[in-house]
Amino acid sequence: MIQVGKPVTGKNFIGRKKEAFEIIQYLKMGQSVVLIAPRRFGKTSLVLEILRQLKNEKHYTGFVDVFAHSDLNSLNKTITAEVLENSGLKKIYQNAKGSISSMMQNIKLKAAINEFEVIMGLEDSTINDWDNLSSSIDFINDFGEKSNHQIFFAFDEYGDILKYDKSGEIIKLMRAKIQQQKSASYIFSGSYESVMNSLFVDNKSPFYRMARIIKLGYLEENTCIKHMKDTLDSYDISISIDQIEKLVYILKGHPYYCQLAIQQVFLLYKFNKEIPDNEDILNQILQIDRGYLEKTWEDISTNKEYSFVLKHLSNFSHGLYSESAKMKINASRAITYLIGKGIIYKTKSTYDFYDPILKLWIQKKIYS
Ligand SMILES: Nc1ncnc2c1ncn2[C@@H]1O[C@H](COP(=O)(O)OP(=O)(O)OP(=O)(O)O)[C@@H](O)[C@H]1O
Ligand SMILES: [Mg+2]
């Protein structure tokens, strides 16, 4: 079915062949990779797809969503569970809920416990979470090494790691470990907002130059067009290729909105028994995402420089500096901030929104 919101894998995953190939090559060379993109550009989907391909080639893999964990102990346990999954032991480990005697009942898990101290360490309240994190990171590499496998491990929403430690010591600890490891390569993924830039791109950061940085862009428009056409055809909804091209041009190949558009065409068609026009589809998307758009705007528009720049860019591609000078607004400072947050990017001659629907929403907001 046409679901939107959750990461997509397998046959629902489209495009990104070049990016996936490039990242996989780096990882296999032992080079860790940082994947940065604005919200909802398909980072998690791409990471899962890459791990799926590597797993198919019989490599070891692991995936942890840092955002999903509220304390370090649970993060450590998930790292361990993900590593153990390469021997099919994740469920057994998790179902034991920390009881060593339950774990010991499984012969394979017992062998792992005897070989790797970290598994017991995670249940030992005298060992602090930081030491256990350190051992968990070691475990990723050691587990691969002991079984003669390269292991590829992803930390999604990695910027969130700072919630455990604002001082950044945790990053230094991870870096020191990871740099020594021969059998593990890592993907760190996250959005611009989540300080990924300052963690990896800033030359004062401990992670600077440690990993290859890949900034994920839009999907290729042709890939989106074909996918939309094929999907809607498969539901006997024969929308013209010309209409799809115009729609994808507006949506710029933004993966989330392209999927949402397919879903909305489907619904509007089922309801009205006719193909909706692009205006209706876009209005529908604006309606669905209203909460997200309002929240995004609320966060940015508290600052009059940011809101001025965004209002201007939503309507005009030129004249930003002259208009802002008239208003005594420091446009450069606002632009630097908005780029850092993944809201706008530099084009050949001006700046544009990453999120085409946010742009449309601001346009409509100004004139309503
Ligand atoms: N390669 C793709 N093929 C098809 N749909 C995609 C693809 N990538 C992303 N999508 C669509 O975009 C949505 C968001 O994808 P995903 O969760 O992977 O993005 P994200 O960048 O990790 O988002 P967030 O910033 O919220 O974590 C998915 O639910 C899916 O509808
Ligand atoms: Mg994600």
Side-chain angles (χ1 to χ4, degrees), residues 288-328:
I288 288 169
D289 260 2
R290 215 175 63 198
Y292 173 80
L293 297 163
E294 277 171 357
K295 171 86 179 63
T296 308
W297 181 247
E298 211 178 279
D299 291 347
I300 309 168
S301 61
T302 46
N303 178 301
K304 80 171 191 325
E305 292 181 342
Y306 307 158
S307 60
F308 177 84
V309 168
L310 291 182
K311 279 182 185 166
H312 184 93
L313 290 175
S314 73
N315 276 283
F316 311 101
S317 52
H318 293 95
L320 174 64
Y321 285 100
S322 53
E323 286 304 310
S324 51
K326 277 188 217 158
M327 307 283 292
K328 297 207 176 354

Side-chain angles (χ1 to χ4, degrees), residues 235-275:
Y235 290 104
D236 288 329
I237 301 172
S238 46
I239 180 167
S240 79
I241 195 82
D242 180 55
Q243 184 180 348
I244 294 183
E245 278 171 5
K246 287 188 177 125
L247 187 59
V248 170
Y249 178 76
I250 297 168
L251 299 176
K252 286 179 161 178
H254 189 302
Y256 167 79
Y257 290 123
C258 288
Q259 289 289 80
L260 193 55
I262 297 176
Q263 189 189 54
Q264 293 312 307
V265 172
F266 177 89
L267 287 174
L268 289 167
Y269 180 79
K270 289 284 157 198
F271 192 73
N272 299 323
K273 303 276 180 289
E274 60 181 23
I275 308 276

Side-chain angles (χ1 to χ4, degrees), residues 6-20 41-43 45-47 49 52-53 216-231 244 248 253-260 262:
K6 282 192 252 154
V8 286
T9 51
K11 72 175 180 25
N12 293 322
F13 180 87
I14 58 163
R16 303 286 192 217
K17 287 211 163 51
K18 211 171 125 259
E19 294 91 335
F41 258 55
K43 299 173 292 292
S45 301
L46 178 57
V47 169
E49 174 61 19
R52 189 188 67 81
Q53 288 185 25
L216 195 62
Y218 298 105
L219 286 173
E220 281 175 17
E221 287 186 12
N222 281 339
T223 308
C224 288
I225 292 166
K226 184 172 180 323
H227 173 67
M228 262 192 199
K229 180 77 184 138
D230 290 351
T231 310
I244 294 183
V248 170
H254 189 302
Y256 167 79
Y257 290 123
C258 288
Q259 289 289 80
L260 193 55
I262 297 176

Side-chain angles (χ1 to χ4, degrees), residues 7 43-45 156-157:
K43 299 173 292 292
T44 306
S45 301
D156 196 18
E157 299 290 356

Side-chain angles (χ1 to χ4, degrees), residues 94-323:
Q94 287 179 330
N95 287 345
K97 295 197 167 66
S99 153
I100 303 284
S101 60
S102 301
M103 291 184 210
M104 288 292 202
Q105 281 166 22
N106 181 286
I107 296 172
K108 272 170 88 181
L109 190 50
K110 184 177 173 184
I113 289 172
N114 290 333
E115 196 164 358
F116 301 101
E117 280 176 15
V118 60
I119 305 174
M120 290 255 266
L122 288 173
E123 310 308 331
D124 184 340
S125 57
T126 65
I127 301 180
N128 74 46
D129 288 343
W130 281 62
D131 289 340
N132 272 329
L133 174 68
S134 177
S135 311
S136 305
I137 303 290
D138 281 338
F139 182 48
I140 299 173
N141 183 69
D142 295 349
F143 193 83
E145 200 171 283
K146 287 264 164 65
S147 35
N148 277 323
H149 277 78
Q150 231 184 324
I151 179 161
F152 302 100
F153 206 92
F155 286 97
D156 196 18
E157 299 290 356
Y158 186 69
D160 228 45
I161 198 94
L162 289 182
K163 71 185 169 197
Y164 302 120
D165 155 48
K166 295 266 179 299
S167 73
E169 283 304 309
I170 205 163
I171 312 255
K172 288 189 190 146
L173 180 150
M174 287 184 77
R175 176 197 147 109
K177 292 271 155 209
I178 287 167
Q179 269 191 328
Q180 306 291 327
Q181 299 186 343
K182 298 270 185 294
S183 297
S185 308
Y186 294 83
I187 310 181
F188 303 96
S189 44
S191 55
Y192 287 93
E193 299 97 307
S194 64
V195 302
M196 290 296 279
N197 254 343
S198 56
L199 279 187
F200 293 97
V201 187
D202 184 347
N203 61 11
K204 289 191 261 336
S205 154
F207 264 151
Y208 183 61
R209 291 231 172 108
M210 203 197 81
R212 184 69 65 244
I213 292 164
I214 306 225
K215 295 190 170 177
L216 195 62
Y218 298 105
L219 286 173
E220 281 175 17
E221 287 186 12
N222 281 339
T223 308
C224 288
I225 292 166
K226 184 172 180 323
H227 173 67
M228 262 192 199
K229 180 77 184 138
D230 290 351
T231 310
L232 291 167
D233 277 354
S234 75
Y235 290 104
D236 288 329
I237 301 172
S238 46
I239 180 167
S240 79
I241 195 82
D242 180 55
Q243 184 180 348
I244 294 183
E245 278 171 5
K246 287 188 177 125
L247 187 59
V248 170
Y249 178 76
I250 297 168
L251 299 176
K252 286 179 161 178
H254 189 302
Y256 167 79
Y257 290 123
C258 288
Q259 289 289 80
L260 193 55
I262 297 176
Q263 189 189 54
Q264 293 312 307
V265 172
F266 177 89
L267 287 174
L268 289 167
Y269 180 79
K270 289 284 157 198
F271 192 73
N272 299 323
K273 303 276 180 289
E274 60 181 23
I275 308 276
D277 57 29
N278 284 349
E279 173 95 20
D280 291 338
I281 300 167
L282 290 170
N283 279 334
Q284 195 73 8
I285 293 179
L286 283 163
Q287 189 61 26
I288 288 169
D289 260 2
R290 215 175 63 198
Y292 173 80
L293 297 163
E294 277 171 357
K295 171 86 179 63
T296 308
W297 181 247
E298 211 178 279
D299 291 347
I300 309 168
S301 61
T302 46
N303 178 301
K304 80 171 191 325
E305 292 181 342
Y306 307 158
S307 60
F308 177 84
V309 168
L310 291 182
K311 279 182 185 166
H312 184 93
L313 290 175
S314 73
N315 276 283
F316 311 101
S317 52
H318 293 95
L320 174 64
Y321 285 100
S322 53
E323 286 304 310

